Amino acid sequence: MAETLFRSIDAFTPGRGVPDAAPQLLPIQELDKYVGTEGLRSAVVRFLVDSAREGGELLLYSDEPMGWMSGDRAYFALWASLMVACVQNGVRIKIIHNVDRVGPEMVDAIHGWIPLYMSGLIEPYVFRKPRNARFYHTLFLRPSGAAIQSFFPVEAGEDRLYDYITAEDHLAVLEKSYKAMLSHASPFLKTYPVTRADDLWQFYRDNDPESWCSILNGLSLPTMPEGLLERMLDREGITGAQRELLLGRYQERRRQLRERLAQGSVDEILCLPDREAVQSGSVKLNLGAEMLEASVSYTQEEYAEHIAAIRELVNGEKNYHLTLLPQAPFRDLQIFMLKDAVAVFRCRAPFTAFAFKNETLTRSVADYCASLIEQFASDRHTTTQALSGV
């Protein structure tokens, strides 16, 4: 589950999978009640068109099967384009996923919603209560404008009735109902674009674990000597506020590394670049996990100095463990296990970090990291020799 999710985030390309413009809208009847799959589709189009035009906030929950949305490719394209239009117009969206969808269906949902999550305007939650096995419930609500609501037996088939509600007093009642459901839900993830990097670092500090485990796409910043970093910044001509920010992040991460080595353990999992890449100067300093967009390349001598510092850690720090992979599992993704959360950094445009606090997913990520370590970890002598060969 974790690997499937990570590959979806890693492979995301802006604009792919979402139409540039909404397909042509068919005439939508403005009814008080809609029936069955086609009725729900019509009601949702009406709901989203008005939401994109008028703005506001959307509060979404449904535990019924998602075939009405994903079962028809043309309709799904229309739904996706209207959701994007809502986000582009600043509409904030809260969605409660049902606990029964934590697993492959949850990952599929996230895969479809990644273009929306990138906006930072989506707040997804997981409903901790199992759903009622005899009934389905759907509530799509825009408190300032309209709602779609239904409650029907699981065996209803196409005999499903959806109320389209616009009366202000009814909308107020439904908003209270949604907030009552939200009180039984847990945040599933938070999205941090580069503009919210400071908020992410606060989240990182609040969830600082006793032990680190991370999957990296390059040597970690805090394992390099500070003098080496300063010389590289001098060579690249990085000065002023950018230099101050970069060194500040380095020093904080360096402090965290020392604390973890003194109190717990540090596991880093990565694939080393090939010798040709190092010799050509194409290997870059790993700044992606710091939410820094600067590009700083190593010379061959600088990379060797960083490797030498890591060899010292491997040989001298009993709580530092380095697992070297034969190939990188992801292209531009880095994953950090936190105390009760997982932070996933997408290290290319659009630069974004995702913080997951869902217990099922964090357990899956922990198992994934453990499986990589079990399969590829070596003793310290073998690891040191591998580092010496770079």
Side-chain angles (χ1 to χ4, degrees), residues 273-345:
D274 58 47
R275 186 174 298 180
E276 290 74 17
V278 176
Q279 291 174 343
S280 68
S282 61
V283 179
K284 297 185 181 298
L285 192 61
N286 183 4
L287 300 177
E290 323 308 323
M291 295 288 280
L292 296 170
E293 298 183 79
S295 179
V296 181
S297 298
Y298 290 95
T299 65
Q300 187 173 353
E301 294 74 20
E302 290 165 347
Y303 194 79
E305 186 176 344
H306 194 168
I307 286 288
I310 293 178
R311 284 203 306 269
E312 289 185 17
L313 277 175
V314 171
N315 290 321
E317 289 286 352
K318 65 178 182 179
N319 290 332
Y320 178 77
H321 310 281
L322 178 64
T323 298
L324 298 177
L325 305 180
Q327 63 183 29
F330 312 108
R331 182 175 59 176
D332 288 299
L333 216 62
Q334 303 193 85
I335 298 104
F336 293 80
M337 285 295 304
L338 305 179
K339 184 166 55 180
D340 298 310
V342 174
V344 181
F345 292 78

Side-chain angles (χ1 to χ4, degrees), residues 43 85 89 93 326:
N89 289 341
I93 300 171

Side-chain angles (χ1 to χ4, degrees), residues 33-44:
K33 298 182 185 297
Y34 294 84
V35 179
T37 299
E38 291 306 318
L40 177 57
R41 288 174 176 172
S42 296
V44 167

Side-chain angles (χ1 to χ4, degrees), residues 128-159:
R128 296 191 298 268
K129 286 186 174 182
R131 71 173 184 84
N132 187 311
R134 294 180 297 163
F135 296 92
Y136 288 126
H137 179 208
T138 289
L139 175 58
F140 301 149
L141 171 65
R142 181 164 59 95
S144 59
I148 301 169
Q149 180 178 237
S150 69
F151 191 72
F152 54 88
V154 169
E155 299 83 3
E158 283 296 306
D159 298 322

Side-chain angles (χ1 to χ4, degrees), residues 59 75 78 100 164 208 313 324 346 368:
L59 308 177
Y75 182 80
L78 175 60
D100 296 333
Y164 202 94
D208 194 13
L313 277 175
L324 298 177
R346 179 186 157 88
Y368 179 65

